Amino acid sequence: MSIEVSGLNKTFGDFVALDDVNVSLPKGQLTALLGPSGGGKSTLLRIIAGLEKADSGSVTIEGVDATDLPAQKRNVGFVFQHYAVFKHMTVAKNVAFGLEIRKRPKDEIERRVAELLELVHLSQFAHRLPSQLSGGQRQRMALARALAVEPSVLLLDEPFGALDAKVRKELRDWLRRLHDDVHVTTVFVTHDQEEALEVADEIVVVDQGRVEQVGTPDQLYDEPANDFVMSFLGDVTHLGGLTLRPHDIELDATPRLAGGVEGTIARLVRIGFEVRVTVHTVDGDEVSVVVTRAHARSLGLAEGRTVWLTPAAGAAVVPRMVLAG
């Protein structure tokens, strides 16, 4: 493992930011720390980076106990949400900064900067100031600067959070390709479920200072450990004592031999190829079901029609009794 976190605890006054956190982050992988705002994910990242100190517990990076090491001795690259660039320096000088303070030879610095600017597709902007770049370009520059010193671990704190949706989508695609090229162990914080599911090799779900589940995107989506994980990774609804996803419910216009829960369509909303159906069941549930437009038409769905609902084969389900507040 590249990073081992054991028994981390951190409080800010009466607020518990981390509560006995234990997690192993694999070498060479792209890992997402995913959770709601205030859940503890950024605090965990900052403790790994050495920017915060835990009240108790330990952090090991690449086999070295880094618990009491200052940030500059941990060989980690850190990228903030708001870039933290040097506004008076050119793009090339920003990227070179870490190498210069380490007093690397000038020719080595020039070569490394040129390589990195090509890697992040900013070669043509080497002599511009950060203010002359777009937000996405500034973030790519910040990533190049973090990679310049060849860190053993790259840490990203909500790296695309300040950007608009289209640029975020482009940058997360780019980050995935970049990681596949450089293979540096990377940990990034996000509260964007789609971002984590699309980009990460592994996801650590954090809530209220605790690790709720660790696994691949498929494992977390298909086999959630509890209701929080399931609901945080996508829309959920309730049917017959189960929590499940709206697209994991079979909707029929006639009852099946195996049964099903009877209900009445209260509302139909078409959004593109999807039709979102709200069904009031005889058990008193209000169930959300998602079907395709073609399926809705084939069944002749309409408000007021009686239908039968059944969990789909292989659906991810969590017993409703374990729902948190």
Side-chain angles (χ1 to χ4, degrees):
M1 292 296 171
S2 184
I3 303 171
E4 291 277 357
V5 171
S6 301
L8 279 194
N9 292 280
K10 179 67 177 178
T11 59
F12 296 96
D14 295 332
F15 176 70
V16 178
L18 296 177
D19 182 9
D20 192 28
V21 170
N22 298 275
V23 69
S24 298
L25 305 180
K27 183 179 179 65
Q29 285 198 2
L30 183 54
T31 301
L33 302 181
L34 174 68
S37 297
K41 54 194 186 298
S42 288
T43 300
L44 175 57
L45 194 80
R46 292 176 66 83
I47 288 173
I48 293 171
L51 301 176
E52 295 276 1
K53 187 169 177 59
D55 299 330
S56 60
S58 64
V59 176
T60 302
I61 301 175
E62 298 279 297
V64 176
D65 185 354
T67 309
D68 297 315
L69 285 179
Q72 61 270 27
K73 292 189 176 180
R74 296 192 182 201
N75 195 28
V76 301
F78 200 96
V79 177
F80 298 90
Q81 178 176 336
H82 295 287
Y83 325 123
V85 299
F86 300 111
K87 297 178 181 179
H88 64 289
M89 292 184 182
T90 65
V91 170
K93 291 292 284 183
N94 263 278
V95 174
F97 180 77
L99 296 168
E100 290 176 342
I101 63 173
R102 286 167 173 77
K103 303 189 185 305
R104 299 283 178 85
K106 186 175 179 180
D107 60 340
E108 178 188 332
I109 293 175
E110 290 178 352
R111 176 181 53 79
R112 181 71 175 148
V113 169
E115 287 175 354
L116 285 164
L117 289 181
E118 183 176 354
L119 184 68
V120 300
H121 309 299
L122 290 177
S123 298
Q124 67 270 42
F125 303 116
H127 301 297
R128 290 194 183 182
L129 293 172
S131 60
Q132 297 172 302
L133 303 180
S134 69
Q137 289 167 340
R138 284 196 293 272
Q139 193 59 289
R140 297 209 309 268
M141 180 192 72
L143 281 161
R145 186 178 62 183
L147 288 168
V149 296
E150 299 179 318
S152 56
V153 174
L154 180 63
L155 306 175
L156 314 175
D157 191 5
E158 302 252 17
F160 312 136
L163 304 170
D164 65 53
K166 184 175 184 296
V167 176
R168 275 205 312 272
K169 176 71 169 69
E170 292 171 353
L171 274 183
R172 66 190 189 216
D173 292 344
W174 173 82
L175 176 62
R176 181 68 249 186
R177 292 194 302 272
L178 176 71
H179 180 266
D180 291 342
D181 286 341
V182 298
H183 295 296
V184 65
T185 302
T186 303
V187 184
F188 74 101
V189 162
T190 182
H191 61 265
D192 186 320
Q193 301 90 332
E194 184 178 333
E195 188 167 278
L197 289 168
E198 183 178 335
V199 175
D201 297 309
E202 185 170 84
I203 299 173
V204 179
V205 181
V206 182
D207 181 45
Q208 297 182 353
R210 295 184 295 272
V211 174
E212 297 287 346
Q213 189 173 0
V214 180
T216 66
D218 284 351
Q219 287 171 336
L220 266 61
Y221 196 85
D222 296 336
E223 304 167 30
N226 53 42
D227 178 72
F228 174 79
V229 174
M230 186 168 191
S231 59
F232 198 73
L233 287 175
D235 293 336
V236 297
T237 192
H238 308 295
L239 174 67
L242 298 175
T243 299
L244 67 171
R245 303 195 188 282
H247 60 258
D248 278 338
I249 296 176
E250 299 281 2
L251 185 151
D252 296 286
T254 55
R256 296 185 177 195
L257 290 177
V261 179
E262 183 180 341
T264 303
I265 295 177
R267 190 164 184 249
L268 287 172
V269 178
R270 179 190 167 194
I271 302 176
F273 71 93
E274 280 186 355
V275 177
R276 299 179 183 179
V277 187
T278 302
V279 178
H280 291 165
T281 72
V282 294
D283 297 332
D285 286 330
E286 181 175 287
V287 184
S288 299
V289 186
V290 174
V291 298
T292 65
R293 176 171 172 251
H295 188 49
R297 282 187 168 184
S298 70
L299 295 176
L301 299 185
E303 292 180 5
R305 177 150 190 187
T306 299
V307 292
W308 284 263
L309 307 178
T310 312
V317 298
V318 174
R320 195 171 180 179
M321 69 182 73
V322 304
L323 293 182

